[in-house]
Amino acid sequence: MLEDVTTRVPRLEIEYCTQCRWLLRAGWTAQELLTTFTDELGEVALIPGKGGVFDVRIDGEPVWSRSQEGGFPDLAVLKRAVRDRIAPGRDLGHSDRHEPS
């Protein structure tokens, strides 16, 4: 018998390209975000995709898109973007330190 499945919020999704074999990158990114946002994230989903996709979304809203940003996210930048959506004002320690321009 199937149980009632409830989505926990916020839900972070990482859609990755299976053709490009980016599962390990997606899994590593998920691990880093789950480690940083242990109490703030409701769930993290890895979604297989195609065509070079590597997108990060929170509750369906884009946080990072490889096609729009022109590459993969720097982890510190991604952590700040996620934090700004789910835990504004939270100190991320070393991830909050911006590199000199």
Side-chain angles (χ1 to χ4, degrees):
M1 176 173 216
L2 293 175
E3 293 182 32
D4 180 29
V5 178
T6 304
T7 300
R8 296 178 181 177
V9 291
R11 181 177 199 257
L12 185 133
E13 300 172 343
I14 301 172
E15 185 175 1
Y16 66 94
C17 180
T18 57
Q19 296 166 314
C20 303
R21 300 182 186 267
W22 288 339
L23 173 60
L24 289 177
R25 181 184 292 266
W28 173 75
T29 302
Q31 175 185 330
E32 288 292 322
L33 293 172
L34 282 166
T35 300
T36 300
F37 300 105
T38 304
D39 297 324
E40 293 88 357
L41 285 172
E43 67 182 31
V44 173
L46 299 180
I47 302 172
K50 295 187 178 183
V53 67
F54 195 90
D55 292 348
V56 179
R57 296 180 291 270
I58 295 177
D59 295 334
E61 297 294 320
V63 174
W64 185 273
S65 175
R66 182 179 173 276
S67 63
Q68 291 184 357
E69 302 293 337
F72 292 103
D74 175 79
L75 193 56
V77 171
L78 182 59
K79 285 182 179 183
R80 287 193 298 268
V82 169
R83 180 269 319 271
D84 291 348
R85 301 271 180 102
I86 65 171
R90 178 173 167 208
D91 181 19
L92 292 176
H94 69 279
S95 291
D96 268 335
R97 295 189 192 109
H98 300 279
E99 296 189 22
S101 33

